[in-house]
Amino acid sequence: MAANTKETGKEPLFHIVKRTDLPMWKSWLIRIGAVVASLIICAVIIILLTGDNPIQIYGTMVKGAVGSPRRIWALLQGVAMLLCIALAVTPAFKMRFWNIGAEGQVLMGGLGATACMILFGKTLPAPLVLVLVIVVSIICGAVWGLIPAIFKAFWNTNETLFTLMMNYIAIQIVSYFTYIWSSNKGNNVINTINVDTHAGWLELPPSIDKYGYMLNVIIVGALTVLMYFYLKYSKQGYEISVVGESENTAKYAGINVKKVIIRTMIISGALCGVAGMLLVSGTDHTITPNTAGGRGFTAIMVSWLAKFNPLFMVLTSLLIVFMQKGAQEISTVFGLNNSFSDIITGIIIFFIIGSEFFINYSIKFRAKEVEAK
Amino acid sequence: MDNNIAVSLRHITKAFGSKVVANKDVSMDIHEGEILALLGENGSGKTTLMNMLSGIYRQDSGQIYVHGSEVHITSPKDAYDLGIGMIHQHFKLVDVFTATENVALGMDKKTTGSYKDLTKAITEICDRYGFDIDPKQKVYNMTVSQKQTLEIVKTLYRGANILILDEPTAVLTPQETDKLFAVLRNMKADGKSIIIITHKLNEVLAISDRVAILRKGEYIGDVLTSEATVQSLTEMMVGQKVELDIERPEVEDKQLRLTVDHLTCLDKYGVTALDDVSLEAYGGEILGIAGISGSGQKQLLEAIAGLQAAEAGASIQYINPDTGKREELIGKSVTQIKKLGVALSFVPEDRLGMGLVGAMGMADNMMLRSYKKGRSMFTDRKAPRELALKVKEELEVVTPGIQTPVRRLSGGNVQKVLVGREIASDPTVLMAAYAVRGLDINTSYTIYHLLNEEKKKGTAVIYVGEDLDVLLALCDRIAVLCDGKLNGIVDGRTATKEEVGELMTHLKGKEATA
Amino acid sequence: MIAAFIHRAVMQGVPLLFGATGEIVTEKSGNLNLGIPGVMYVGGISGVIGAFLYENSLADKSQANGFLAIMIPLVCCLLGSLLMGLIYSFLTTTLRANQNVTGLAITTFGVGLGNFFGGSLIKIVGADVPSITLSTTSKFFSASLPFADNLGWFGEIFLSYGFLAYLAVVIAIVTSLFLKKTRTGLNLRAVGENPATADAGGISVTKYKYLATCIGSMIAGMGGLYYVMDYVSGVWSNDGFGDRGWLAIALVIFTVWKPNFAIIGSILFGGLYIVHNYLNQFFPAIPVNMSTQELIKMAPYVVTVLVLIINSMRKKRENQPPEALGLPYFREDR
């Protein structure tokens, strides 16, 4: 056949091969390089928008993030909340269960806390209310994580889509209760709950904790260490890793995969519940449908960027919250819009996720052969 | 023979990562109008080589010529344009599409015409070569054989005159195999070049005109089938006749350890994979399991290990060496079996996909089957680390460290890690599936030695293998499976290769199939 | 009154229909683009910027040219959404990044971009209220068909929308036919079901993924444009678009990846979104207060979850998500 003797295509200039042998330090060098590159791009954008010296701008950012004790505490609080949720989604991700429902699980936890504070704040003694707040918020979060897990375990229902939808169901449930419990009928706002009795408030005396964030930071710090040990050294953590790697291997090792999926999602949801409790009972003392504030989604990126390692998550969440706070300061000082920080966050994440390619693959050029022809 | 050369490969080399060289400087020709058998053991690089011809992989170096002119095959489409079509072992079909839609994939409407025209063309191809498929049937409703037929029809429709079939008979019944061979002969008569990748000698002799042999990624040579014998091909395949010097220690005190009665299992497609098999395994002997691949070996081992459900009426009993108590294993999970005190070790065929966790290091892999031990919420880190170091040293595992993910180790070292772990648990029953597949001679001997050591300790060893020489040299008894049935048990000391080969291919009490 | 309800439900449904159709096209290529909410924001704000520039270039706003008033925002919207689609495709297809993470980053980025430029524009005009009004261009977008006012309920239900609403329906039908009837549609579905097979069949997986994602993004972006230019009559306010992007993704699941079902589905979802405003009128006997509204707004998501569950239990092959949805493809993977 004549058609079959023709030359097909040209020798391609390069082709891509997977690599498995990149040393640890090189892969981190690539990631750090990506962060630096993204900061440069951000600087360029900021210069274009403000026309100012980038060093001065980054100075403003640093000042905005850590310029005063209050700001440092606010930064720590931001990091703690984001980190807490990132910790929560991590066991699920390690198991290759895409729990993108953290936003909803946090809200349900917060709602549980709110409910206890409102319903029992006037009738039960304050310490008991606090215990109820903690228990109920954890249960609420856990249930919200459990529902998609059951369907995943038994019917293999797509968990990404399921957990995503559960977020909005939670938001609407919270909206419903903010109307029901709103302080002035119809204005849809719950004023600070139990402002006189502080029943159900999770707090340290103001003499120790001036800004009211310390307890949250301590709790999340402890959770980080716990999660690190849970994932790395516990039997359940081991099971999670095995199930995530290969279900076949898990069965071979005698692991009940369904049980692990369900148990892990209960833990994941429960931790989100804790985050909701910390937000409601620890700092806000009220709830709105926006209490989680998108952290449920940002946390997914935090966890993923840290390669599911709780200790690295401290760094990645710090990076993101630092940039957000800094960008907020820039927008105030230079009269830009608050959403500027979202753009900065987006750009940094794009760079880091893009950099993973250069860690997992290498590009082989064929320059030599082309020359030879 | 027609000596017009359809495809020439020259100096083809392909490596995966920095460790595995799949093909090394391979040069070979494929003639027009011939059936060429590409023969080689598992892992000899047959499939990789053909994948480069079909555009799935790209060679690292070397040239391909089709009908005399050099070509660069950068994608499957390039291959199709050159008239090269490949039927992969894992079918490339979209399950939710009909047969016709699958054929239409990637094709211009101008070339195929409407679906109606296409259906007509498919029916014509079917009539011409004697295929039997329904163009309107959805793929997910098809049997494996129908899917394979569809793949061939698809390739033919696209005008392929060079067809590559990768282990086409692995999934077929003997009847289906005969049908396939008849079709291949028809296509050859039509002037097409056919390459069939296989490691089954009887098929090579039955269907091919010429045999090309690969060994460990290198091209060994070719021979006309009419001039070839099982012996000569085996020699080319495994290299110069290696005197297998495997020891076979005698163990006097053999004790019944495991009985399998009337075991019938279905595979994942619901087809009977194991049909009413009964056998016994004794401590202090190696029981070999022979059979062409996919004859039910996997189901047999997994049923014993508690990973495969059995049909009603089956019984697998374990005889406790200390108490003499019989324990029924059917219907029990892996964990339950362990709790009964059954010391069962299992080296599965799929090392990284089942036996080990590729992303974990040696140390973490050591505790895969024992991590539940003890009451603590935390895993014991010390014992596995020590075991890992011990295995590394005793079996000479080459690894940068016991925390290096085992995925990065070479195949032989991966297997040492797996076997080392399974033996370390002091089993009374040790099952090993294709334990030396893809390993070099030295490592293979290490493995044989380990199995023999276990045998001497009084362990009942069940060894599933594919190399008959090894089975005959190593095993005390060999149970031969054929088409899911137990076709006979022979004594490893007295049986001949021909005897076992006969049992593997011809079901007793039935007419010869090929 | 029922006509008025249907009218509002359709208006609510159109952005969802654009979003869902765009996401279906994208998902059929195996890309789960969770960045659609961000893409729709960018589509909206790009259109607003275009309209803003055009209006400001006019000395006399009454002299606005209908063609330019429509084309400039539309082209801006398409370019903006295309850019987002390209970012997503580049990261997930070329660099094989995780789709969920990339998608969520796109949403953060896109919503941020929308609110940033929206906020900046609001500052430029120095408005008293935190919104920007582009009524001149909006007029052209929301112009309904002639006779709509003269034909009573028929006109209200069928003829009373801006051209983008009809475009949404046309695109949904065309997409549906495209997927079902054409060879390119067949190839696209194959890419999402089984990229290795598509590749072996000579289909360029990379090309299809890029094209589907970019075209899908542009379709979705028009949902944002419709929302600002027609639904809210050219008034951009930050976060005004709300959770409609996620609702569009829900609609994709609800309609089991079928754009023609999405036409009805979008009106149903749109209706559920606003039905609380009408319940008191329809059923005066049953008091519906503000809180109940929020529960009714939950309905689309609950229904979607039910559809997802039922389909996974029934295991009917045709109703499952594309098999390779969310997975990266690398030919040499073994």
Side-chain angles (χ1 to χ4, degrees):
Chain A
M1 258 194 228
N4 283 344
T5 53
K6 70 160 192 224
E7 280 254 355
T8 317
K10 258 189 154 177
E11 183 79 359
L13 213 56
F14 60 88
H15 77 297
I16 292 162
V17 290
K18 216 166 196 163
R19 64 174 163 203
T20 50
D21 44 4
L22 196 71
M24 192 80 162
W25 63 271
K26 263 194 187 168
S27 62
W28 281 100
L29 207 67
I30 292 178
R31 287 190 192 110
I32 293 167
V35 174
V36 172
S38 67
L39 291 182
I40 293 171
I41 295 286
C42 292
V44 170
I45 293 174
I46 295 169
I47 296 167
L48 287 177
L49 287 171
T50 63
D52 267 307
N53 175 350
I55 294 172
Q56 195 192 336
I57 289 167
Y58 277 118
T60 314
M61 283 184 92
V62 173
K63 216 177 81 200
V66 294
S68 69
R70 167 168 286 283
R71 282 180 174 167
I72 292 176
W73 276 110
L75 177 80
L76 288 177
Q77 155 76 3
V79 172
M81 292 328 301
L82 187 58
L83 181 58
C84 184
I85 305 170
L87 290 173
V89 293
T90 300
F93 285 178
K94 267 205 114 157
M95 198 177 61
R96 304 258 163 95
F97 182 105
W98 279 101
N99 176 18
I100 56 174
E103 192 88 359
Q105 290 150 19
V106 170
L107 274 176
M108 291 311 280
L111 185 67
T114 313
C116 291
M117 287 160 75
I118 289 181
L119 299 178
F120 304 119
K122 302 259 178 325
T123 50
L124 293 178
L128 191 59
V129 176
L130 186 58
V131 171
L132 272 177
V133 161
I134 294 170
V135 171
V136 170
S137 56
I138 288 176
I139 292 177
C140 287
V143 166
W144 220 241
L146 173 65
I147 297 169
I150 290 176
F151 287 97
K152 173 72 181 183
F154 289 97
W155 292 282
N156 200 23
T157 310
N158 186 318
E159 79 278 9
T160 317
L161 302 173
F162 200 136
T163 49
L164 182 68
M165 294 302 117
M166 292 296 277
N167 288 334
Y168 297 95
I169 298 178
I171 287 176
Q172 293 306 332
I173 292 177
V174 171
S175 303
Y176 172 73
F177 282 105
T178 47
Y179 274 110
I180 297 267
W181 291 328
S182 59
S183 310
N184 304 311
K185 275 285 164 242
N187 80 340
N188 191 19
V189 173
I190 304 177
N191 291 346
T192 308
I193 308 164
N194 301 340
V195 71
D196 38 359
T197 61
H198 284 208
W201 286 32
L202 193 66
E203 59 180 357
L204 292 172
S207 53
I208 303 173
D209 181 12
K210 199 169 151 201
Y211 302 105
Y213 295 143
M214 190 186 281
L215 199 55
N216 281 10
V217 175
I218 292 171
I219 292 173
V220 175
L223 285 175
T224 311
V225 177
L226 278 180
M227 183 52 80
Y228 177 76
F229 281 100
Y230 175 76
L231 289 175
K232 190 140 192 221
Y233 296 110
S234 80
K235 290 176 180 173
Q236 299 192 354
Y238 185 75
E239 288 178 341
I240 289 171
S241 306
V242 176
V243 171
E245 265 304 306
S246 151
E247 277 198 24
N248 245 340
T249 308
K251 283 178 187 146
Y252 166 79
I255 295 172
N256 184 337
V257 176
K258 288 185 174 61
K259 191 175 117 191
V260 173
I261 290 179
I262 289 173
R263 184 184 68 208
T264 308
M265 271 312 286
I266 289 178
I267 292 171
S268 189
L271 260 180
C272 284
V274 170
M277 188 264 295
L278 292 179
L279 281 168
V280 169
S281 162
T283 44
D284 296 358
H285 311 303
T286 181
I287 196 168
T288 72
N290 200 29
T291 290
R295 289 190 189 92
F297 297 120
T298 316
I300 292 163
M301 301 180 236
V302 167
S303 170
W304 193 82
L305 295 180
K307 304 270 106 184
F308 310 139
N309 181 328
L311 302 184
F312 291 151
M313 277 176 222
V314 178
L315 295 178
T316 46
S317 52
L318 182 66
L319 173 73
I320 287 182
V321 175
F322 183 90
M323 291 308 288
Q324 285 178 339
K325 298 268 177 198
Q328 274 165 22
E329 180 70 9
I330 294 182
S331 20
T332 325
V333 172
F334 294 94
L336 299 172
N337 184 279
N338 246 338
S339 304
F340 188 60
S341 66
D342 288 340
I343 300 180
I344 300 282
T345 312
I347 291 175
I348 294 173
I349 293 171
F350 288 153
F351 269 83
I352 304 181
I353 49 188
S355 75
E356 291 297 313
F357 173 79
F358 299 96
I359 292 166
N360 294 324
Y361 299 90
S362 64
I363 300 171
K364 287 202 172 161
F365 287 93
R366 292 181 171 267
K368 247 188 249 161
E369 283 175 48
V370 173
E371 273 170 31
K373 268 172 208 165
Chain B
M1 185 190 288
D2 184 352
N3 264 334
N4 274 337
I5 291 174
V7 180
S8 295
L9 302 175
R10 286 293 171 268
H11 310 297
I12 300 285
T13 296
K14 170 79 186 175
F16 291 102
S18 51
K19 298 218 174 61
V20 193
V21 180
N23 289 121
K24 199 170 149 198
D25 195 23
V26 173
S27 299
M28 63 180 283
D29 295 325
I30 297 140
H31 304 280
E32 283 172 10
E34 73 165 348
I35 298 182
L36 173 72
L38 190 56
L39 182 67
E41 287 187 289
N42 277 301
S44 57
K46 305 170 300 240
T47 303
T48 308
L49 184 67
M50 288 301 114
N51 270 335
M52 285 185 274
L53 205 49
S54 67
I56 300 288
Y57 295 153
R58 179 89 186 113
Q59 70 266 26
D60 294 333
S61 62
Q63 299 84 41
I64 298 173
Y65 300 86
V66 173
H67 296 290
S69 42
E70 184 175 358
V71 293
H72 298 295
I73 305 176
T74 57
S75 72
K77 187 170 186 325
D78 290 348
Y80 271 129
D81 291 344
L82 292 162
I84 302 170
M86 179 155 169
I87 285 103
H88 298 267
Q89 232 175 335
H90 302 283
F91 300 133
K92 308 268 184 188
L93 296 170
V94 179
D95 278 353
V96 293
F97 287 3
T98 64
T100 309
E101 285 172 331
N102 265 293
V103 174
L105 263 193
M107 300 203 69
D108 214 326
K109 197 165 181 180
K110 274 181 223 135
T111 30
T112 62
S114 67
Y115 282 127
K116 215 188 236 168
D117 299 338
L118 194 55
T119 308
K120 221 176 101 203
I122 293 171
T123 318
E124 272 169 25
I125 292 175
C126 290
D127 293 345
R128 181 148 151 219
Y129 295 107
F131 297 120
D132 181 25
I133 50 166
D134 173 5
K136 291 209 171 66
Q137 196 177 8
K138 291 263 167 105
V139 171
Y140 59 78
N141 284 328
M142 290 185 177
T143 65
V144 184
S145 160
Q146 282 173 318
K147 287 182 196 173
Q148 187 182 57
T149 311
L150 174 56
E151 281 277 31
I152 298 174
V153 170
K154 192 170 102 181
T155 320
L156 288 176
Y157 178 79
R158 294 193 153 217
N161 42 34
I162 301 159
L163 262 98
I164 306 164
L165 295 99
D166 190 0
E167 307 257 2
T169 59
V171 290
L172 302 183
T173 64
Q175 293 78 6
E176 287 168 339
T177 302
D178 291 345
K179 233 165 100 185
L180 173 71
F181 284 0
V183 167
L184 293 183
R185 289 192 191 96
N186 276 344
M187 294 197 293
K188 174 184 137 189
D190 220 26
K192 301 196 185 294
S193 309
I194 292 157
I195 304 166
I196 109 167
I197 302 176
T198 178
H199 57 265
K200 298 177 189 167
L201 295 177
N202 56 335
E203 289 177 2
V204 172
L205 296 171
I207 184 80
S208 70
D209 301 314
R210 196 164 62 95
V211 193
I213 293 118
L214 285 182
R215 191 200 314 152
K216 293 190 181 130
E218 291 182 61
Y219 183 67
I220 299 305
D222 68 331
V223 55
L224 289 179
T225 310
S226 51
E227 295 162 8
T229 61
V230 171
Q231 283 75 18
S232 68
L233 290 178
T234 315
E235 252 185 65
M236 291 182 82
M237 208 160 105
V238 298
Q240 70 218 98
K241 184 119 185 145
V242 202
E243 259 322 303
L244 286 181
D245 188 20
I246 304 171
E247 58 167 337
R248 178 159 36 198
E250 288 298 331
V251 176
E252 291 302 321
D253 181 26
K254 289 181 186 162
Q255 290 195 342
L256 185 62
R257 187 69 59 238
L258 194 72
T259 63
V260 174
D261 283 304
H262 304 296
L263 180 63
T264 299
C265 298
L266 307 182
D267 68 9
K268 60 179 173 177
Y269 304 108
V271 179
T272 306
L274 206 57
D275 192 356
D276 196 22
V277 168
S278 302
L279 48 79
E280 290 166 337
Y282 292 85
E285 73 158 14
I286 298 183
L287 172 66
I289 308 282
I292 59 172
S293 68
S295 300
Q297 295 98 321
K298 179 174 140 79
Q299 283 76 14
L300 175 63
L301 297 196
E302 292 190 357
I304 297 172
L307 293 164
Q308 159 84 45
E311 297 299 288
S315 165
I316 298 175
Q317 291 193 332
Y318 170 80
I319 295 96
N320 190 309
D322 302 324
T323 62
K325 212 177 132 203
R326 280 175 171 260
E327 304 281 6
E328 177 62 53
L329 304 187
I330 293 270
K332 298 212 167 61
S333 70
V334 178
T335 319
Q336 286 169 320
I337 290 175
K338 192 171 276 177
K339 278 199 185 129
L340 288 174
V342 179
L344 186 88
S345 282
F346 179 22
V347 178
E349 179 182 356
D350 187 356
R351 294 163 200 166
L352 286 174
M354 187 170 190
L356 297 168
V357 182
M360 290 182 182
M362 271 182 81
D364 283 354
N365 268 301
M366 284 303 146
M367 58 183 179
L368 186 62
R369 304 250 282 165
S370 57
Y371 74 97
K372 279 185 188 151
K373 245 187 236 156
R375 291 240 179 108
S376 162
M377 189 198 151
F378 291 97
T379 50
D380 173 11
R381 315 287 296 180
K382 216 172 123 202
R385 199 176 306 131
E386 281 166 5
L387 177 59
L389 288 171
K390 193 172 140 227
V391 168
K392 179 173 187 265
E393 190 174 341
E394 284 178 5
L395 302 188
E396 295 169 344
V397 178
V398 182
T399 168
I402 54 169
Q403 305 297 350
T404 309
V406 294
R407 183 183 288 141
R408 294 194 194 164
L409 310 186
S410 73
N413 287 308
V414 166
Q415 185 69 334
K416 283 178 186 172
V417 174
L418 177 53
V419 173
R421 180 190 72 206
E422 289 304 298
I423 287 175
S425 63
D426 250 335
T428 52
V429 177
L430 170 63
M431 302 189 288
Y434 308 105
V436 298
R437 181 180 280 177
L439 305 193
D440 61 49
I441 295 288
N442 279 331
T443 317
S444 303
Y445 273 87
T446 310
I447 304 281
Y448 302 142
H449 178 70
L450 289 171
L451 296 179
N452 274 324
E453 287 299 304
E454 283 305 305
K455 170 179 161 184
K456 282 191 234 167
K457 276 192 227 163
T459 308
V461 181
I462 301 176
Y463 176 87
V464 174
E466 45 204 342
D467 185 332
L468 292 185
D469 290 318
V470 172
L471 281 166
L472 286 165
L474 179 72
C475 302
D476 298 284
R477 289 184 305 141
I478 300 168
V480 188
L481 293 176
C482 177
D483 202 12
K485 292 188 179 69
L486 183 64
N487 207 22
I489 297 181
V490 298
D491 188 323
R493 286 171 180 78
T494 55
T496 62
K497 218 166 153 180
E498 288 68 32
E499 198 183 327
V500 179
E502 179 74 17
L503 285 170
M504 278 165 62
T505 43
H506 303 300
L507 208 52
K508 262 193 244 166
K510 256 193 167 182
E511 283 295 308
T513 44
Chain C
M1 196 176 64
I2 289 180
F5 171 66
I6 293 176
H7 174 78
R8 296 305 291 177
V10 171
M11 298 273 290
Q12 275 290 351
V14 170
L16 305 182
L17 181 55
F18 273 120
T21 310
E23 180 71 4
I24 290 171
V25 173
T26 310
E27 288 193 16
K28 282 289 177 188
S29 76
N31 280 351
L32 176 64
N33 188 356
L34 294 181
I36 280 293
V39 173
M40 294 176 82
Y41 258 88
V42 170
I45 194 67
S46 307
V48 166
I49 291 172
F52 180 80
L53 293 177
Y54 178 66
E55 283 199 11
N56 278 22
S57 71
L58 293 173
D60 177 4
K61 290 194 176 169
S62 60
Q63 295 296 307
N65 175 318
F67 180 74
L68 287 178
I70 284 173
M71 284 318 282
I72 292 175
L74 185 61
V75 169
C76 286
C77 157
L78 292 177
L79 286 178
S81 346
L82 172 66
L83 184 70
M84 299 300 276
L86 275 175
I87 296 177
Y88 180 89
S89 302
F90 179 71
L91 285 171
T92 60
T93 307
T94 304
L95 297 185
R96 304 189 182 100
N98 182 290
Q99 294 189 8
N100 294 335
V101 178
T102 310
L104 294 174
I106 291 270
T107 289
T108 306
F109 183 68
V111 174
L113 215 59
N115 287 341
F116 176 75
F117 283 109
S120 305
L121 286 183
I122 291 166
K123 243 180 89 186
I124 291 171
V125 293
D128 304 331
V129 284
S131 61
I132 181 165
T133 309
L134 300 159
S135 42
T136 312
T137 30
S138 161
K139 219 170 55 209
F140 294 101
F141 275 92
S142 51
S144 54
L145 293 187
F147 321 118
D149 296 340
N150 310 335
L151 292 174
W153 63 267
F154 182 83
E156 188 164 11
I157 291 177
F158 292 104
L159 305 175
S160 60
Y161 312 102
F163 77 97
L164 278 176
Y166 299 101
L167 188 62
V169 175
V170 171
I171 290 177
I173 293 172
V174 169
T175 306
S176 179
L177 290 175
F178 162 77
L179 288 171
K180 230 186 282 174
K181 300 279 177 194
T182 68
R183 290 299 160 80
T184 322
L186 182 79
N187 293 348
L188 175 62
R189 282 189 288 146
V191 170
E193 289 289 336
N194 190 336
T197 295
D199 194 7
I203 297 164
S204 168
V205 174
T206 308
K207 192 174 98 188
Y208 269 82
K209 276 181 177 264
Y210 259 90
L211 279 175
T213 308
C214 290
I215 292 172
S217 292
M218 293 200 290
I219 296 174
M222 282 196 275
L225 182 71
Y226 172 84
Y227 174 78
V228 272
M229 298 316 287
D230 188 343
Y231 183 74
V232 290
S233 319
V235 182
W236 172 274
S237 51
N238 279 357
D239 288 323
F241 191 65
D243 64 348
R244 288 181 175 82
W246 298 113
L247 208 52
I249 293 180
L251 187 57
V252 173
I253 307 162
F254 178 73
T255 59
V256 289
W257 290 266
K258 292 188 173 63
N260 48 349
F261 288 10
I263 298 170
I264 304 296
S266 67
I267 298 171
L268 186 69
F269 274 29
L272 285 170
Y273 211 79
I274 51 154
V275 71
H276 54 84
N277 294 333
Y278 292 84
L279 278 180
N280 284 331
Q281 299 173 39
F282 289 153
F283 308 105
I286 311 164
V288 176
N289 49 29
M290 295 281 273
S291 53
T292 324
Q293 291 175 13
E294 297 301 327
L295 290 185
I296 294 168
K297 276 194 193 167
M298 190 167 88
Y301 296 111
V302 175
V303 173
T304 301
V305 164
L306 290 178
V307 168
L308 194 63
I309 292 172
I310 291 166
N311 276 331
S312 66
M313 285 179 171
R314 281 178 63 212
K315 294 197 173 6
K316 193 175 172 219
R317 293 300 291 269
E318 282 79 2
N319 288 346
Q320 301 305 316
E323 213 167 304
L325 187 63
L327 307 174
Y329 175 64
F330 181 48
R331 189 188 286 162
E332 297 204 4
D333 257 342
R334 297 200 293 175

